[in-house]
């Protein structure tokens, strides 16, 4: 059945659904056919909004369709919240990579500056998290970014990690996280502060006006 849908007479229809604008029609169809007519609008508890939740009704419906037509495609009913809720050390290491910053021991002007953010010198993002499990309520996560991919853009990174911006310069990670900066010994020196803002996926130059 799956081969008939993806390789047979309906291949064009399925391509439009999963690669074009046809997903809108798919969502509407699922909403109409579901028991009680699923809605994209629902009530949430504070816990769900903050930490995320599993078994989202719409994602559950789409998952049932994908299980038929694209059985090898990873899928999860998990919806992320405003913050990540790491249940233990192993869960945190699975979902968050390491940061490396200058200590300032030898060069005080570099204190707190990133060497690597999430093991990256340039900003990439993971488009398709996987290896989650709804039954055990394990949120999906991406394979951690590996430094060796920096010198090999045609490696496995191309399957899951993508540049956040169009140019190398825009993706470059520089400066501190903004929590502190090097002491300013010269009062006449520039007060601009180079800061990597992870919420924006971008390095920014911030102007300091007063303390």
């Amino acid at each position: 059945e799956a081969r008939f849908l993806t390789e047979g007479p309906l291949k064009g229809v399925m391509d439009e659904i999963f690669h074009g604008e046809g997903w809108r029609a798919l969502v509407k169809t699922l909403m109409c056919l579901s028991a009680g007519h699923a809605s994209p609008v629902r009530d949430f508890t504070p816990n769900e909004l903050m930490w995320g939740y599993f078994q989202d009704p719409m994602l559950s419906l789409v998952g049932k369709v994908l299980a038929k037509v694209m059985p090898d495609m990873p899928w999860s009913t998990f919806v992320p919240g405003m913050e990540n809720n790491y249940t233990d050390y192993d869960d945190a290491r699975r979902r968050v990579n390491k940061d490396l910053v200058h200590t300032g021991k030898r060069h005080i002007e570099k204190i707190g500056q990133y060497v690597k953010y999430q093991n990256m010198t340039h900003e990439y993002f993971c488009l398709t998290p996987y290896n989650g499990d709804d039954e055990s309520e394990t949120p999906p996560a991406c394979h951690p970014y590996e430094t060796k991919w920096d010198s090999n853009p045609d490696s496995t990174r191309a399957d899951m990690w993508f540049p956040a911006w169009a140019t190398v310069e825009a993706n470059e990670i520089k400066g501190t996280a903004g929590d502190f900066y090097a002491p300013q010994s010269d009062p006449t020196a520039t007060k601009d502060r180079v800061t990597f803002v992870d919420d924006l996926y971008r390095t920014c130059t911030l102007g300091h006006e007063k303390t």
Side-chain angles (χ1 to χ4, degrees):
E1 180 180 359
R3 177 172 296 181
F4 174 77
L5 290 174
T6 57
E7 298 181 5
L10 295 182
K11 182 179 185 302
V13 176
M14 300 309 296
D15 284 345
E16 173 62 20
I17 289 177
F18 293 106
H19 302 291
E21 291 294 319
W23 64 271
R24 300 178 188 274
L26 173 63
V27 171
K28 292 179 180 179
T29 301
L30 290 172
M31 290 169 59
C32 293
L33 295 178
S34 64
H37 299 302
S39 171
V41 180
R42 51 162 292 191
D43 295 329
F44 297 95
T45 66
N47 184 75
E48 290 174 333
L49 288 175
M50 178 61 70
W51 307 117
Y53 60 95
F54 285 86
Q55 304 303 328
D56 179 79
M58 288 302 302
L59 293 181
S60 296
L61 290 171
V62 175
K64 292 178 181 179
V65 174
L66 293 179
K68 294 289 186 180
V69 300
M70 303 176 70
D72 296 330
M73 180 178 179
W75 192 257
S76 174
T77 63
F78 177 70
V79 176
M82 293 183 290
E83 297 290 342
N84 289 320
N85 184 18
Y86 304 123
T87 56
D88 53 36
Y89 180 79
D90 291 335
D91 183 40
R93 288 299 300 268
R94 186 180 70 88
R95 299 163 62 186
V96 181
N97 215 328
K98 58 185 178 182
D99 295 339
L100 182 64
V101 300
H102 287 285
T103 63
K105 180 179 180 179
R106 296 184 178 179
H107 301 281
I108 189 63
E109 70 276 6
K110 292 185 178 181
I111 186 172
Q113 292 184 10
Y114 279 114
V115 178
K116 293 179 183 178
Y117 166 76
Q118 299 286 297
N119 210 32
M120 298 180 291
T121 58
H122 291 74
E123 182 66 18
Y124 290 86
F125 69 93
C126 178
L127 185 63
T128 310
Y130 65 104
N131 72 7
D133 183 70
D134 286 358
E135 292 186 5
S136 63
E137 293 195 347
T138 302
C142 292
H143 181 85
Y145 189 92
E146 299 184 25
T147 304
K148 64 182 181 182
W149 294 342
D150 289 340
S151 58
N152 185 12
D154 295 326
S155 62
T156 309
R157 183 185 69 189
D159 295 333
M160 50 186 146
W161 290 90
F162 301 87
W165 305 96
T167 66
V168 174
E169 292 77 13
N171 287 307
E172 188 175 5
I173 296 171
K174 298 185 294 185
T176 73
D179 45 3
F180 62 93
Y181 300 94
Q184 195 76 16
S185 58
D186 183 359
T188 64
T190 176
K191 293 186 177 181
D192 289 343
R193 299 291 185 264
V194 179
T195 307
F196 178 71
V197 184
D198 56 358
D199 287 338
L200 301 178
Y201 303 97
R202 191 72 180 261
T203 297
C204 304
T205 299
L206 306 180
H208 176 258
E209 294 183 356
K210 63 181 180 178
T211 301

